[in-house]
Amino acid sequence: MKLQTAIKILKIIVRIGFYLLLLFIILFIAVSVLRLSGGNINEGLNISNAVKVRSLDSEVTGRGTFNQQHTGSYQQISTYFFRPNFNTPAGYYLVFIRALYYLISLSILWLLLRTLDTISNTAFFHTKITRYIRLLAFMYMASDLLGLIDYFVMRAFLHQEFPAMHFRPEINFGEDLITGLIIFVITFIYARGVQLQEEQQLTI
Amino acid sequence: MPIIINLDVMMARRKMSLNELSEKVGITLSNLSILKNGKAKAIRIETLEAICRALDCQPGDLLEYAKEEI
């Protein structure tokens, strides 16, 4: 497949994804504002009011189940969904953090779109693209760091609401941070490409 | 930049315009302009050879090294 064709297809896919996400964010904000103003929203539109949490059986009951030799134990991990009431600090926080996540995702798609637009219209190596890729890396890293902050804040809320259950929110920390770091390293390589292209253009 | 390109001096001596030189050497006007204004980062040997042939001069007539004052 030719590069230009691949770029065109990617642009279409990313553009569709961008506008779908934008639509979703608008819907999310509209529902959140309606709920804030005390409106009665159909539960089917309750798109962001749940957090997946886990509870370790041993922390609730005070024990795991050991084998006869006491060389190991097993315990159940139960999965729940924590749904704070909307007009509570936990509810407001959930809306706020979800909005931040969606905005980061939208920024990532927008940067990708700008990168693809710049590649097709001008030279392949361009200082603008270096800037976009660097921002993309920061967005990925910010997403993971936000997840980490979210974990501790949500854990505090869970402990406050259900202290006996020892709930822990689910966390996937590290994947986006590593992705961001890899993209960041690629930025340096790309910037060198821009330099080489400039030198090549100024070689008579 | 320590290397000065005296292309305009040689062109004046040979009474040749940039257009004429561009046609003789086979380089675009914009590239010759980059060379003339000292913005070029590098010059190919074959380009230097073509310019020297067109202007009937030596590479030393075109290139001059001036020490940078500290």
Side-chain angles (χ1 to χ4, degrees), chain A residues 26-181:
Chain A
I26 292 169
L27 181 68
F28 170 79
I29 292 171
V31 168
S32 302
V33 165
L34 275 169
R35 291 198 73 151
L36 267 172
S37 57
N40 196 11
I41 302 296
N42 187 319
E43 282 300 303
L45 284 178
N46 195 359
I47 49 180
S48 65
N49 202 29
V51 177
K52 209 175 187 181
V53 297
R54 287 186 174 172
S55 173
L56 290 172
D57 193 46
S58 62
E59 285 190 328
V60 176
T61 62
R63 55 182 163 77
T65 307
F66 282 87
N67 59 9
Q68 280 186 341
Q69 300 86 4
H70 263 258
T71 52
S73 70
Y74 68 88
Q75 58 184 310
Q76 187 169 332
I77 297 175
S78 303
T79 304
Y80 301 90
F81 280 94
F82 168 55
R83 297 182 81 179
N85 284 342
F86 194 78
N87 289 312
T88 59
Y92 292 143
Y93 167 77
L94 202 56
V95 170
F96 171 70
I97 205 76
R98 290 283 160 89
L100 275 180
Y101 274 125
Y102 296 145
L103 284 172
I104 288 175
S105 302
L106 195 68
S107 308
I108 287 172
L109 284 176
W110 183 82
L111 284 166
L112 201 50
L113 204 54
R114 294 302 310 137
T115 305
L116 290 168
D117 276 338
T118 311
I119 287 176
S120 58
N121 293 340
T122 61
F124 203 83
F125 289 97
H126 201 286
T127 43
K128 265 193 212 174
I129 294 173
T130 315
R131 215 166 39 237
Y132 293 146
I133 296 174
R134 193 174 291 128
L135 278 171
L136 206 61
F138 287 144
M139 286 293 152
Y140 268 101
M141 290 192 268
S143 169
D144 235 17
L145 290 171
L146 187 66
L148 191 63
I149 295 168
D150 182 30
Y151 173 80
F152 286 111
V153 173
M154 189 48 71
R155 193 171 151 174
F157 275 124
L158 289 168
H159 180 72
Q160 193 182 350
E161 305 277 345
F162 301 100
M165 291 300 291
H166 299 277
F167 283 139
R168 301 271 187 280
E170 268 201 347
I171 182 168
N172 279 318
F173 180 73
E175 291 165 0
D176 284 346
L177 189 67
I178 290 170
T179 305
L181 284 170

Side-chain angles (χ1 to χ4, degrees), chain A residues 198-204, chain B residues 31 40-44 47:
Chain A
E198 201 180 272
E199 276 176 19
Q200 192 260 331
Q201 280 173 345
L202 292 174
T203 297
I204 313 299
Chain B
N31 277 352
K41 295 262 182 199
I43 183 166
R44 295 189 182 91
T47 306

Side-chain angles (χ1 to χ4, degrees), chain B residues 1-59:
Chain B
M1 199 171 171
I3 300 288
I4 299 166
I5 300 178
N6 297 317
L7 190 61
D8 42 0
V9 170
M10 283 314 301
M11 278 166 57
R13 279 192 198 162
R14 300 289 183 259
K15 294 183 177 57
M16 198 181 288
S17 68
L18 209 58
N19 272 325
E20 278 179 68
L21 186 62
S22 160
E23 275 170 35
K24 279 192 175 178
V25 173
I27 298 173
T28 60
L29 215 55
S30 59
N31 277 352
L32 262 185
S33 208
I34 289 169
L35 201 58
K36 188 164 145 308
N37 295 330
K39 289 194 169 69
K41 295 262 182 199
I43 183 166
R44 295 189 182 91
I45 300 288
E46 60 199 35
T47 306
L48 188 59
E49 190 188 315
I51 294 173
C52 288
R53 197 181 308 120
L55 293 173
D56 188 27
C57 64
Q58 292 294 314

